[in-house]
């Protein structure tokens, strides 16, 4: 019983002490207070900006800062203020700064106030490129949509950045999109057309069409993109004709021609047409070293090519007349897979002592002004005989060289046949014209020329081709008609004599007349 009472009184005492302490605490809580929710402060604040005012019941308290992150806070009276600018980007934990203030009052226990400060990020940093100029090398023929480089800017505010490439209408490069500075090839590059492209890359930290008044920071950098000539083209024999096949460029050479004399070894390099053998690298700026080689047609080892210059020389004379066709290869010394082949046709000429010679030095011929294409030029004014030229070659006993070919020079009116007949190509509108005919011995290359003047005569006996029967034709027709008439008369005579023998019959007589008339009409048809 007594023990129970003691316990009870102890309980009461503890409760009393607790109540006292609680009272004291509550009292202390009351003398100083701060809002429990976090305080938000924008970075780049002004100095002395108020963070929070400490509520006190009495002015007779002492406040001390016990935790001061970054040493940025200060007390002025009962105000917690900022003594320097806060920078979101450099603070260790800007979203949660904890400031602690001890609040003392004589006679009471001190208490600690905690102020949570959140620093708000504002756009106060410009984006920056690491370099003001970037130099990039890109191989020509880099496929479209291939990335050349990704050049990002840094912004300490770590927001979204917006990029643009200028000039915007550069056809060769583009940005993947405005958020990603990935520079892509937009069009196949060809070193022959473009060797360098200079672009400006822009960046800004607000959307391109943001309202005015908003703070926007921008930065630019220069991109210098050098197009590199890659070894994609073989050597090209010169001269050549350029041909584009899709994006590929090729250059076609027609080959080379030359002449040597039969059983003669020529000294020095052969003179070729259209020029000496020469190939140049199709990749203009690479201009790789080229070496030459005869790969076909030189089985008899008559010719030799200079590996470096491409000049062809003779090692021995050719002993068979006719053409020799050589295949010459030009290949890049550094990359033999890049090569080109061409043909070199060398004509082996027979010896000749006399060149072809026309029978006359000048000729005269005639043509009617109404003559048209394919009409022959005529020999004289009176007859209609065609005009013909002949060239003799005294190397031949009969003067006829089968290798002679005729050519017309300086005239668009006429052409000449292999037999030496001259044909009009169009109607002549002048009173006369002159030209040169040339006879070439294709086996030796020798030639002779003669002058030809053609007089244009006014049209005579205008004939239309449909009525144009010649005298001979008409004579033949007359003869056939006469023969048929005689035949008819013979048949009629025979039939009459037979009728006279028998008794005359009217029916039979009419048969005879039908027969003879059909015979006549048929012969007329045949004549028409
Ligand atoms: C300070 O105390 C007054 C009265 O006690 C109260 O009205 C006010 O809201 C308090 N301020 C803060 C910041 O707690
Ligand atoms: C404040 O406290 C001091 C002693 O620390 C005392 O002398 C003074 O009277 C007090 N003032 C008030 C208004 O309580
Ligand atoms: C506040 O009180 C504590 C003890 O409660 C003491 O250590 C401290 O020095 C006091 N500070 C001031 C500024 O009076
Ligand atoms: C930062 O503060 C300075 C001075 O008050 C002011 O000139 C500047 O515009 C501010 N920057 C931002 C991003 O608010
Ligand atoms: C390149 O990309 C664009 C857009 O993605 C696409 O339209 C185009 O067909 C692509 N071109 C090639 C050659 O792949
Ligand atoms: C990319 O090429 C297309 C045509 O292929 C052209 O229409 C477009 O303007 C080019 N883009 C840029 C950014 O130049
Ligand atoms: C071939 O012989 C002719 C006549 O002898 C001479 O004029 C010519 O130059 C020679 N041609 C060559 C390629 O040697
Ligand atoms: C090659 O031939 C050309 C003429 O065809 C000549 O000008 C050049 O000097 C020759 N080169 C050599 C190395 O013989
Ligand atoms: C001239 O005629 C020849 C054939 O005899 C032919 O090969 C040549 O093409 C013709 N030339 C012209 C310009 O018509």
């Amino acid at each position: 019983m007594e023990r129970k009472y003691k316990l009870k009184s102890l309980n009461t005492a503890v409760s009393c002490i607790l109540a006292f302490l609680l009272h004291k605490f509550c009292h202390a809580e009351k003398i100083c207070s701060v809002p429990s929710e976090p305080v938000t402060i924008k970075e780049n604040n002004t100095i002395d900006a108020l963070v929070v005012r400490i509520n006190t019941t009495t002015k007779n308290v002492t406040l001390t800062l016990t935790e001061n992150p970054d040493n940025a806070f200060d007390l002025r009276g009962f105000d917690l203020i900022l003594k320097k600018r806060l920078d979101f980007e450099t603070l260790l934990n800007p979203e949660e700064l904890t400031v602690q203030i001890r609040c003392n009052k004589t006679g009471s226990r001190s208490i600690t106030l905690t102020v949570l400060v959140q620093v708000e990020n504002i756009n106060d940093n410009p984006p920056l490129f690491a370099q003001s100029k970037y130099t990039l090398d890109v191989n020509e023929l880099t496929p479209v949509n291939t990335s050349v480089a990704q050049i990002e800017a840094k912004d300490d505010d770590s927001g979204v950045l917006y990029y643009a490439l200028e000039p915007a209408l550069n056809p060769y490069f583009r940005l993947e999109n405005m958020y990603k500075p990935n520079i892509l090839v937009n069009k196949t590059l060809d070193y022959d057309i473009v060797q360098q492209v200079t672009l400006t890359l822009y960046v800004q930290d607000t959307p391109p069409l943001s309202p005015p008044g908003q703070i926007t920071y921008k930065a630019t950098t220069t991109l210098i993109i050098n197009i590199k000539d890659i070894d994609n083209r073989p050597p090209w024999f010169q001269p050549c004709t350029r041909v584009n096949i899709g994006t590929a460029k090729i250059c076609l050479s027609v080959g080379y021609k030359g002449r040597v004399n039969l059983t003669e070894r020529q000294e020095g390099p052969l003179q070729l047409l259209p020029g000496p053998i020469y190939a140049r690298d199709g990749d203009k700026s690479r201009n790789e070293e080229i070496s030459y080689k005869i790969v076909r047609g030189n089985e008899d080892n008559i010719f030799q090519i200079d590996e470096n210059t491409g000049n062809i020389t003779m090692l021995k004379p050719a002993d068979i007349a006719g053409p020799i066709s050589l295949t010459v290869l030009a290949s890049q010394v550094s990359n033999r897979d890049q090569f080109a082949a061409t043909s070199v046709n060398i004509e082996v000429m027979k010896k000749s002592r006399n060149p072809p010679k026309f029978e006359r030095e000048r000729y005269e011929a005639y043509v009617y002004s109404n003559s048209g294409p394919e009409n022959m030029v005529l020999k004289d004014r009176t007859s209609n005989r065609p005009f013909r030229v002949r060239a003799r070659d005294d190397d031949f006993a009969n003067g006829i060289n089968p290798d002679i070919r005729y050519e017309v020079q300086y005239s668009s009116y006429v052409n000449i046949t292999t037999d030496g007949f001259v044909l009009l190509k169009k109607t002549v509108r002048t009173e006369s014209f002159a030209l040169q005919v040339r006879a070439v011995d294709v086996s030796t290359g020798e030639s002779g020329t003669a002058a030809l003047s053609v007089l244009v005569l006014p049209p005579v006996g205008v004939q239309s081709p449909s009525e144009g029967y010649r005298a001979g034709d008409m004579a033949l027709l007359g003869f056939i008609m006469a023969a048929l008439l005689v035949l008819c008369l013979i048949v009629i005579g025979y039939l009459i004599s037979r009728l006279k023998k028998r008794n005359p019959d009217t029916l039979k007589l009419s048969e005879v007349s039908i027969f003879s008339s059909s015979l006549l009409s048929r012969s007329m048809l045949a004549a028409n």
Side-chain angles (χ1 to χ4, degrees):
M1 194 64 179
E2 198 189 37
R3 197 182 154 87
K4 214 177 181 181
Y5 170 79
K6 265 186 183 165
L7 216 69
K8 219 175 184 175
S9 63
L10 193 70
N11 253 354
T12 320
V14 168
S15 304
C16 275
I17 290 164
L18 265 177
F20 173 74
L21 280 177
L22 211 63
H23 169 80
K24 261 213 111 127
F25 180 76
C26 292
H27 188 65
E29 180 75 350
K30 260 193 174 162
I31 59 162
C32 295
S33 72
V34 285
S36 56
E37 60 273 10
V39 183
T40 302
I41 300 283
K42 283 190 179 167
E43 65 167 324
N44 195 30
N45 53 282
T46 51
I47 290 169
D48 294 350
L50 175 71
V51 179
V52 77
R53 174 155 288 158
I54 297 151
N55 250 1
T56 53
T57 45
T58 160
K59 300 268 174 229
N60 214 353
V61 290
T62 327
L63 299 173
T64 327
L65 268 173
T66 52
E67 195 171 330
N68 188 0
D70 204 30
N71 200 26
F73 298 88
D74 204 0
L75 286 167
R76 193 174 55 197
F78 298 102
D79 292 343
L80 179 66
I81 58 157
L82 279 158
K83 66 175 173 187
K84 67 180 192 188
R85 283 179 201 282
L86 290 175
D87 185 5
F88 184 89
E89 286 73 33
T90 52
L91 285 167
L92 218 57
N93 192 7
E95 305 275 8
E96 202 177 295
L97 298 179
T98 308
V99 184
Q100 288 191 331
I101 305 143
R102 188 182 293 129
C103 182
N104 271 13
K105 188 183 181 230
T106 36
S108 347
R109 284 177 62 93
S110 73
I111 60 159
T112 301
L113 304 171
T114 300
V115 181
L116 280 180
V117 177
Q118 288 182 340
V119 180
E120 194 183 298
N121 192 10
I122 64 165
N123 184 14
D124 61 344
N125 290 292
L128 283 175
F129 286 106
Q131 300 170 29
S132 65
K133 192 165 99 181
Y134 292 83
T135 305
L136 308 168
D137 287 345
V138 181
N139 280 348
E140 61 170 341
L141 302 184
T142 302
V144 167
N145 287 351
T146 305
S147 170
V148 171
Q150 180 154 333
I151 294 168
E152 285 184 80
K154 279 231 151 52
D155 188 328
D156 289 336
D157 296 323
S158 68
V160 180
L161 296 178
Y162 304 85
Y163 296 89
L165 202 57
E166 294 279 327
L169 285 177
N170 176 287
Y172 293 106
F173 297 97
R174 65 179 176 96
L175 277 183
E176 185 169 342
N177 56 49
M178 69 192 288
Y179 311 105
K180 199 168 176 196
N182 198 7
I183 292 143
L184 304 179
V185 175
N186 190 45
K187 183 178 172 192
T188 308
L189 303 158
D190 180 352
Y191 182 85
D192 282 0
I193 297 169
V194 57
Q195 291 86 40
Q196 193 182 65
V197 174
T198 303
L199 300 168
T200 308
L201 181 61
Y202 288 87
V203 66
Q204 63 180 55
D205 52 13
T206 53
L209 292 170
S210 50
Q214 189 172 349
I215 292 165
T216 299
Y217 292 97
K218 297 179 181 177
T220 62
T221 188
T222 304
L223 309 182
I224 295 171
I225 303 178
N226 293 313
I227 317 299
K228 291 282 163 217
D229 198 3
I230 63 170
D231 188 10
N232 61 320
R233 294 194 181 114
W236 287 340
F237 280 103
Q238 307 291 322
C240 59
T241 315
R242 291 231 183 187
V243 181
N244 286 7
I245 300 175
T247 54
K249 276 197 191 124
I250 56 178
C251 206
L252 298 174
S253 136
V254 289
Y256 299 88
K257 288 191 292 193
R259 271 193 190 137
V260 296
N261 286 334
L262 189 65
T263 68
E264 266 181 27
R265 180 177 161 265
Q266 197 184 318
E267 294 294 327
L270 297 190
Q271 299 296 311
L272 300 177
L273 288 172
I277 293 179
Y278 171 59
R280 206 177 52 207
D281 192 351
D283 298 302
K284 217 189 282 173
S285 80
R286 296 186 77 90
N287 212 6
E288 301 272 348
E289 197 189 329
I290 285 163
S291 103
Y292 303 89
K293 201 171 156 64
I294 300 176
V295 289
R296 209 191 301 149
N298 195 27
E299 285 72 23
D300 296 335
N301 281 318
I302 296 170
F303 301 100
Q304 168 182 276
I305 194 163
D306 186 310
E307 206 184 317
N308 301 315
T309 64
N311 278 348
I312 292 183
T313 46
M314 288 185 89
L315 293 174
K316 59 182 184 188
D319 46 15
I320 301 169
I324 298 178
S325 182
L326 305 175
T327 304
V328 171
L329 205 71
S331 53
Q332 285 178 203
V333 173
S334 61
N335 178 6
R336 297 278 177 186
D337 289 331
Q338 295 281 31
F339 69 90
T342 193
S343 63
V344 179
N345 284 310
I346 295 167
E347 198 68 42
V348 181
M349 306 299 238
K350 278 183 275 179
K351 261 298 193 206
S352 154
R353 252 170 283 126
N354 296 294
K357 190 164 184 289
F358 281 98
E359 287 164 333
R360 290 168 63 181
E361 271 183 22
R362 26 186 88 248
Y363 291 93
E364 243 180 41
Y366 304 90
V367 71
Y368 288 112
S369 63
N370 61 333
S371 304
E374 298 302 317
N375 276 43
M376 282 187 162
V377 172
L378 305 174
K379 190 179 165 66
D380 49 40
R381 288 168 188 263
T382 49
S383 76
N384 271 352
R385 277 186 294 159
F387 169 76
R388 184 177 187 184
V389 292
R390 266 203 212 91
R392 290 178 55 82
D393 189 334
D394 289 335
D395 291 338
F396 293 80
N398 61 358
I400 298 168
N401 177 351
D403 288 329
I404 283 181
R405 300 285 177 271
Y406 294 106
E407 291 172 1
V408 160
Q409 293 179 305
Y410 320 120
S411 176
S412 61
Y413 283 128
V414 295
N415 196 359
I416 191 164
T417 69
T418 47
D419 301 321
F421 292 108
V422 180
L423 295 180
L424 269 186
K425 290 203 292 190
K426 56 185 180 191
T427 306
V428 185
R429 298 263 174 251
T430 61
E431 283 178 2
S432 68
F433 59 94
L435 56 120
Q436 196 168 58
V437 285
R438 188 165 175 257
V440 187
D441 179 346
V442 289
S443 68
T444 62
E446 292 172 320
S447 65
T449 58
L452 168 62
S453 30
V454 180
L455 269 174
V456 183
L457 304 175
V460 284
V462 180
Q463 293 169 315
S464 85
S466 61
E467 304 169 38
Y469 293 115
R470 281 190 286 153
D473 295 342
M474 295 308 284
L476 189 65
L477 184 71
F479 176 75
I480 291 169
M481 296 284 283
L484 280 170
L485 197 66
V486 168
L487 191 67
C488 284
L489 289 174
I490 290 169
V491 171
I492 291 166
Y494 169 72
L495 287 172
I496 290 172
S497 71
R498 277 193 61 180
L499 276 174
K500 274 182 176 168
K501 273 179 192 170
R502 294 182 191 186
N503 278 336
D505 187 319
T506 43
L507 190 75
K508 286 217 170 131
L509 251 175
S510 64
E511 273 179 3
V512 169
S513 63
I514 289 167
F515 172 73
S516 61
S517 67
S518 80
L519 207 62
L520 261 173
S521 70
R522 226 176 271 171
S523 68
M524 290 305 284
L525 267 175
N528 272 333

